Amino acid sequence: MWLKFEQRPEPSKVMTYLSPLLAVGLMFLSGLILFLVLGKSPVEGFKVFFLNPLRDSYGVAELFLKATPLMLCAVGLSVGFKANVWNIGAEGQLLIGALAGGWLALHFEGSTSRLLLPGMIVAGALGGMAWAAIPAFLRTRFNANEILTSLMLVYVAELMVSWLVHGPWKDPDGFNFPQTKLFSATATLPLLLAGTRVNVALIFAIGALVVGWIFMNRSFMGYQMKVAGQAEFAGRYAGFSAKRSVWIGMLAGGAMAGVAGISEVAGPIGQITEHISPGYGFAAMIVAFVGRLSPIGIFFSSLLMALLYMGGEQAQQYLNLPSSISKVFQGMLLFFLLGSDVFINFRPRLVRRRK
Amino acid sequence: MPTPTSDTPRLAIRGIRKVYPSVVANDGIDLTVMPGQIHAVLGENGAGKSTLMKVIYGVIRPDEGELLWEGRPVIISNPAQARSLGIGMVFQHFSLFETLTVVQNVALSIPGKLDLDPLAKRIEEVSERYGLPVDPRRMVHALSVGERQRVEIIRCLLQNPRLLILDEPTSVLTPQAVRKLFETLRQLAAEGVSILYISHKLDEIQELCHKATVLRGGKVTGTCTPAEETPQTMARMMIGVDLPACSHGEPEDGGEVRLLIQGLSHATDDPFGTDLKDIHLEVKAGEIVGIAGVSGNGQQELLRAISGEEPHADKRAVRVCGVEAGHMNAARRRGLGMCFVPEERLGRGAVPRLSLTENILLTAYRKGMLFAGLIRFGVAKRFAEECIKRFDVKCGGAHSEAKSLSGGNLQKFIVGREIMQEPKLLVLAQPTWGVDVGASSFIRQSVLDLRNSGTAVLVISEELEELFEICDRIVVIAKGTLSPSKVTSETNVEEIGMWMSGLWPGAKTQGEATHVA
Ligand SMILES: Nc1ncnc2c1ncn2[C@@H]1O[C@H](COP(=O)(O)OP(=O)(O)OP(=O)(O)O)[C@@H](O)[C@H]1O
Ligand SMILES: [Mg+2]
């Protein structure tokens, strides 16, 4: 007897939604095995990793804090992904957004204008869009593959941050640490709940999910992008511009990543350092796919991904595991998701081996 | 185990039933095919013919019923198994990979590893022997539907099948190719191959098939010997009533020019495409102009240039309703009052995985379906429901996915969507491709009505009979050039047929295009 995969006459709707849950389940299971192999008690490991982070309201608030940039990036990316626009450089767009908004904060240091903060958010979005516009331009003008160009620009952005905080933007009173001055109170996002670190960026993120849902499900532009993504020739037959789909897909991702970036530096971090993002821009791609590119799904999957980040920190503290453990879990989640997605189009069958 | 003799049916099916959520597609179907028999399966669009064939080929699992292959009960659970039994099938909707070449596509359906070069030779041999010319090294996406169909047929023949299933194989073949195919099929039948043959062309069935089974609403409603019937009697068996005759009315004279093509030349990027050379054409309000021609002579290129799917550098080459439109994309040309039915329905005329309502939006969104950039789904849904009703599209409802419709029903839906927008200029490619006789005559009548109300209509079709039935003028396309036009009543099938090989008076001299109107 052996297992054989047989094409389904049509993709299974049930499996489309079951597959992320299956992937999460398999990730938990392999996590337990991983703890065992590392010589830790699986029960203890599970507790530390997945339950510890949520044991009090502060933990829950932290969960939402970490989910915020993921939600923002993922909803922006999903707009492009639906139209087969593969922006994988959200991480870079996030950093440039942080720089653009951060520059305003540093330049108008001491300002008490109420316009500063909104200006920073807008600058963040514009910065992310500008960074995303480069691959969009190269794709529409020269047909350069946006997967490569957007990814390469991540490294350029990282180096740019590094150069600025080591050089021109370094805080002169900062004991030579590679970081800028702390942003003033007017340039910092107000908190939502006293005693926690959750700030208004969470509202932006939820707003982005709602707007994203309306765009994808109710707007004609979203419809055109769906058509372009599913059937190129039908898009051309209808006269929908393929270039416009690329631009909108890339810019939506860039804008949201930029807002995520500025929200981090004007939020929990409070200044620009070399470590603005622990890979939120990359993790957001996993979030988008686990959430089935739907804003509702993304809401939940970003919470899960945030939990993986927090679990990693806990595991480092209490289990003496390296912090990269959370990357391992992210990787497993993506791996199992891709594996489970096979069941959407194929069904497994046991067949007797024939001679 | 019974040894197969000539009395043992090659295939016998008993009580096949297949239920879809919205419809019983097959309802207790019995059918027997003898060795060497060419057996027709007849029925209206949505009668369940393709579904039954897919059951036999192992694509669809039936809910009930059994199959006997040469007397032995078998369960065919996938196409590979069907092929290993000796069953070959040409699908109604093509199953080729567009990004591969012809020979790569053929190689995929043959188990095991093999060299492409000898296979390409075999393809060339078979295509020559059976009069189905294709170049094995071409990419499939660059082929016209007629050429794709040839590839599908050749792919089947290469496997030396014992039962060959052909689901509307001739819908886009030229008359000569059909002749050649029939010879091939007769030869195969004489060698003992059984053939299941689906077509809406009743005269073909009468000429070719030994026996016919008629389906209606998923049930067998009768069998007959086509040689003893006439197309009219068979049509009555299929639809239950006599066919209405088309009422023509008179073409309007001296209407304004709605489509004007002047000196359109276009070199294709596709090495196997056809260059368009100095095309001149005009279509006036209130007339139907037909373009006849053998597939692959520049029809696709011309259609793309007219529809705006491939805009042209020269603005003036194409004028729609008096406006220079050569540079406009398809949406802007639609804004000028043009509608267009393309030859591929799935993937071009409709998005397979979207609902019918969403497919209405593809081209009809100008009909009040948008508000401030948002979609008014209610309006689109009403339009879809109206289209389903007026054009008798058999489906689960406006929410059904386009790909769940039978071929002919999807065609009716797309034609309906374009006609219901009341265009000033309507361009149709193969308007009745795969549509049953009743619906064909309905579509033709709708087109005639539209012309009578003042629309300019351009029809590109390989079916000469259809062109002669509805067109006021006919032009011929050959090797990327257009012949002068002929008033339909002043010409005949023989003359146009000869022109189709490029031999019209003044051809090749790059002559000025005359419009004998
Ligand atoms: N995947 C599907 N899901 C739901 N309904 C389906 C599906 N496939 C076919 N049907 C329905 O089953 C019925 C029979 O379809 P089928 O394709 O067998 O018709 P047909 O006789 O081949 O018609 P045509 O002449 O138009 O090709 C139709 O009403 C069709 O809408
Ligand atoms: Mg069919």
Side-chain angles (χ1 to χ4, degrees):
Chain A
M1 298 281 263
W2 58 316
L3 198 62
K4 209 179 141 187
F5 284 91
E6 187 176 284
Q7 177 128 33
R8 293 178 194 266
E10 53 193 79
S12 150
K13 285 230 164 68
V14 178
M15 270 320 294
T16 311
Y17 298 105
L18 219 55
S19 156
L21 299 181
L22 188 65
V24 172
L26 286 169
M27 178 196 71
F28 278 139
L29 200 71
S30 338
L32 298 186
I33 297 171
L34 185 74
F35 289 133
L36 204 67
V37 171
L38 292 172
K40 318 277 171 191
S41 143
V43 178
E44 186 59 23
F46 186 86
K47 257 198 202 149
V48 169
F49 207 100
F50 295 107
L51 302 181
N52 254 6
L54 302 179
R55 76 202 135 174
D56 53 19
S57 57
Y58 182 80
V60 175
E62 283 290 293
L63 185 76
F64 278 93
L65 177 76
K66 293 215 154 45
T68 300
L70 291 168
M71 272 180 218
L72 281 165
C73 292
V75 71
L77 290 177
S78 66
V79 169
F81 289 169
K82 281 224 158 170
N84 280 348
V85 176
W86 302 111
N87 174 10
I88 63 169
E91 181 80 1
Q93 292 142 23
L94 180 151
L95 294 178
I96 299 297
L99 290 183
W103 177 81
L104 271 189
L106 298 171
H107 191 78
F108 293 103
E109 198 199 350
S111 154
T112 50
S113 166
R114 288 226 191 138
L115 291 177
L116 180 57
L117 207 47
M120 285 165 61
I121 305 288
V122 171
L126 290 177
M129 282 162 84
W131 212 239
I134 301 172
F137 172 76
L138 294 174
R139 160 82 190 268
T140 50
R141 186 75 177 66
F142 301 108
N143 207 16
N145 186 329
E146 76 276 14
I147 300 181
L148 293 176
T149 50
S150 63
L151 178 64
M152 289 189 289
L153 283 168
V154 172
Y155 305 114
V156 177
E158 279 174 355
L159 292 171
M160 201 135 105
V161 173
S162 178
W163 171 66
L164 285 170
V165 297
H166 278 100
W169 289 12
K170 186 157 69 176
D171 179 6
D173 311 320
F175 308 101
N176 219 18
F177 278 109
Q179 57 195 27
T180 64
K181 284 187 191 155
L182 277 172
F183 293 177
S184 64
T186 21
T188 309
L189 291 171
L191 295 181
L192 279 185
L193 262 180
T196 69
R197 301 199 295 163
V198 211
N199 58 47
V200 292
L202 178 63
I203 305 212
F204 303 159
I206 291 178
L209 290 178
V210 173
V211 172
W213 188 89
I214 293 172
F215 179 81
M216 287 191 240
N217 295 293
R218 287 287 174 268
S219 81
F220 189 53
M221 195 57 232
Y223 167 81
Q224 294 185 28
M225 296 193 56
K226 195 156 71 176
V227 170
Q230 288 189 19
E232 187 194 336
F233 290 107
R236 199 177 309 163
Y237 160 72
F240 301 159
S241 161
K243 287 188 179 172
R244 192 165 52 185
S245 291
V246 173
W247 276 103
I248 293 184
M250 289 301 292
L251 293 183
M256 290 301 103
V259 172
I262 184 62
S263 305
E264 285 299 289
V265 293
I269 307 178
Q271 64 190 152
I272 298 176
T273 73
E274 264 192 306
H275 307 286
I276 296 173
S277 154
Y280 287 141
F282 292 116
M285 290 191 276
I286 304 177
V287 169
F289 282 107
V290 172
R292 304 282 84 160
L293 303 184
S294 109
I296 299 165
I298 287 172
F299 177 80
F300 292 105
S301 60
S302 59
L303 290 177
L304 172 72
M305 185 58 77
L307 183 62
L308 294 185
Y309 273 112
M310 292 170 69
E313 286 167 15
Q314 299 281 324
Q316 200 179 354
Q317 240 172 28
Y318 298 103
L319 298 175
N320 249 331
L321 290 173
S323 67
S324 49
I325 186 82
S326 62
K327 289 250 164 63
V328 173
F329 273 90
Q330 285 179 22
M332 288 196 297
L333 180 59
L334 181 61
F335 177 83
F336 289 126
L337 181 75
L338 295 177
S340 315
D341 275 355
V342 168
F343 295 104
I344 297 175
N345 286 308
F346 295 85
R347 70 175 146 234
R349 274 204 339 135
L350 280 177
V351 289
R352 225 159 282 144
R353 195 185 287 275
R354 261 179 290 165
K355 299 261 158 61
Chain B
M1 194 190 294
T3 40
T5 64
S6 56
D7 306 336
T8 320
R10 175 73 31 95
L11 174 76
I13 60 182
R14 302 274 166 259
I16 291 291
R17 183 179 166 85
K18 173 72 198 175
V19 183
Y20 284 117
S22 57
V23 66
V24 182
N26 285 172
D27 193 356
I29 293 188
D30 295 337
L31 191 147
T32 308
V33 194
M34 302 304 290
Q37 187 182 55
I38 307 182
H39 193 123
V41 181
L42 286 177
E44 294 177 280
N45 295 130
K49 304 179 297 292
S50 298
T51 304
L52 183 64
M53 298 305 121
K54 286 183 196 159
V55 166
I56 297 173
Y57 196 57
V59 180
I60 293 178
R61 249 188 273 179
D63 301 320
E64 282 168 32
E66 59 168 2
L67 291 134
L68 299 171
W69 177 254
E70 297 184 331
R72 271 170 298 149
V74 285
I75 293 168
I76 302 177
S77 53
N78 58 51
Q81 195 190 338
R83 281 196 294 269
S84 70
L85 285 175
I87 303 177
M89 175 156 175
V90 173
F91 286 91
Q92 179 177 16
H93 286 131
F94 303 133
S95 56
L96 300 171
F97 291 99
E98 304 219 334
T99 50
L100 298 180
T101 63
V102 171
V103 56
Q104 286 168 334
N105 264 290
V106 172
L108 281 176
S109 64
I110 298 175
K113 274 204 168 151
L114 63 165
D115 271 339
L116 291 187
D117 283 336
L119 185 62
K121 281 237 171 55
R122 273 177 61 205
I123 293 175
E124 273 168 351
E125 277 163 28
V126 171
S127 77
E128 205 158 301
R129 188 161 89 223
Y130 295 130
L132 301 162
V134 287
D135 182 336
R137 280 167 205 89
R138 277 184 73 176
M139 297 289 281
V140 166
H141 68 77
L143 301 181
S144 70
V145 281
E147 289 165 305
R148 287 181 202 199
Q149 200 146 26
R150 288 178 217 155
V151 176
E152 296 258 3
I153 295 173
I154 290 168
R155 180 167 71 173
C156 258
L157 292 181
L158 276 172
Q159 294 159 9
N160 301 320
R162 288 198 285 157
L163 171 68
L164 185 59
I165 302 173
L166 299 166
D167 195 348
E168 302 192 29
T170 59
S171 49
V172 288
L173 292 186
T174 61
Q176 295 92 314
V178 170
R179 290 264 84 60
K180 210 67 181 152
L181 178 70
F182 281 9
E183 273 171 41
T184 309
L185 295 181
R186 288 204 188 92
Q187 193 185 326
L188 288 170
E191 290 163 13
V193 177
S194 305
I195 296 167
L196 271 169
Y197 190 88
I198 298 181
S199 174
H200 290 294
K201 298 180 185 167
L202 299 176
D203 45 342
E204 283 181 0
I205 286 181
Q206 206 194 2
E207 181 189 335
L208 180 74
C209 301
H210 306 132
K211 189 137 199 268
T213 297
V214 183
L215 300 187
R216 230 174 121 193
K219 291 199 174 84
V220 176
T221 54
T223 56
C224 67
T225 306
E228 295 164 5
E229 304 284 334
T230 64
Q232 286 71 30
T233 57
M234 285 194 284
R236 198 175 318 123
M237 282 180 84
M238 263 170 66
I239 56 180
V241 290
D242 277 325
L243 271 186
C246 277
S247 81
H248 277 251
E250 282 306 302
E252 197 179 301
D253 220 16
E256 61 171 20
V257 177
R258 292 275 170 81
L259 174 68
L260 181 63
I261 302 178
Q262 284 177 304
L264 173 76
S265 296
H266 178 74
T268 52
D269 307 333
D270 173 9
F272 301 96
T274 308
D275 293 342
L276 298 176
K277 286 164 229 144
D278 195 32
I279 303 260
H280 292 259
L281 179 72
E282 85 181 13
V283 187
K284 294 200 193 108
E287 70 167 350
I288 302 179
V289 176
I291 300 184
V294 178
S295 127
N297 268 288
Q299 286 95 329
Q300 281 186 302
E301 288 80 5
L302 181 59
L303 277 172
R304 281 200 295 263
I306 295 176
S307 70
E309 283 158 292
E310 201 158 305
H312 198 260
D314 179 8
K315 282 204 236 190
R316 281 160 307 179
V318 180
R319 278 174 213 250
V320 175
C321 300
V323 180
E324 292 174 353
H327 59 297
M328 293 184 179
N329 71 10
R332 290 182 63 199
R333 292 186 199 197
R334 277 206 191 86
L336 299 174
M338 185 176 104
C339 281
F340 171 50
V341 176
E343 55 177 354
E344 296 101 337
R345 35 200 175 202
L346 266 186
R348 184 163 164 209
V351 184
R353 301 215 55 96
L354 293 185
S355 71
L356 293 182
T357 300
E358 286 173 294
N359 270 298
I360 284 289
L361 278 166
L362 199 59
T363 64
Y365 56 88
R366 279 191 186 77
K367 296 279 161 194
M369 292 173 202
L370 302 183
F371 178 74
L374 297 183
I375 297 168
R376 297 166 69 185
F377 277 102
V379 180
K381 181 159 173 262
R382 274 197 297 281
F383 193 100
E385 281 165 353
E386 169 84 28
C387 178
I388 290 168
K389 205 167 102 209
R390 250 180 76 183
F391 286 81
D392 190 28
V393 178
K394 300 210 177 66
C395 62
H399 55 83
S400 305
E401 284 185 353
K403 71 184 276 272
S404 77
L405 264 62
S406 79
N409 279 305
L410 186 57
Q411 180 74 3
K412 288 194 270 181
F413 176 78
I414 293 172
V415 171
R417 177 184 71 194
E418 302 300 304
I419 286 183
M420 278 175 55
Q421 294 175 52
E422 295 162 351
K424 290 187 181 151
L425 167 66
L426 178 63
V427 179
L428 301 150
Q430 321 282 6
T432 57
W433 178 23
V435 175
D436 68 45
V437 277
S440 295
S441 84
F442 180 73
I443 287 179
R444 286 173 195 167
Q445 188 61 55
S446 308
V447 172
L448 284 166
D449 292 346
L450 209 59
R451 175 264 248 157
N452 293 341
S453 67
T455 297
V457 182
L458 179 68
V459 183
I460 297 194
S461 172
E462 291 178 22
E463 278 188 64
L464 277 186
E465 269 166 48
E466 173 165 276
L467 293 178
F468 272 88
E469 185 175 343
I470 60 172
C471 296
D472 302 312
R473 289 192 291 130
I474 295 184
V475 295
V476 173
I477 189 168
K479 299 203 183 74
T481 53
L482 221 53
S483 77
S485 81
K486 272 277 187 182
V487 174
T488 310
S489 55
E490 292 167 10
T491 183
N492 52 42
V493 176
E494 285 69 39
E495 185 180 29
I496 296 296
M498 201 165 74
W499 284 21
M500 277 161 68
S501 46
L503 301 171
W504 58 77
K508 294 206 183 87
T509 51
Q510 291 285 331
E512 53 173 317
T514 43
H515 295 287
V516 196

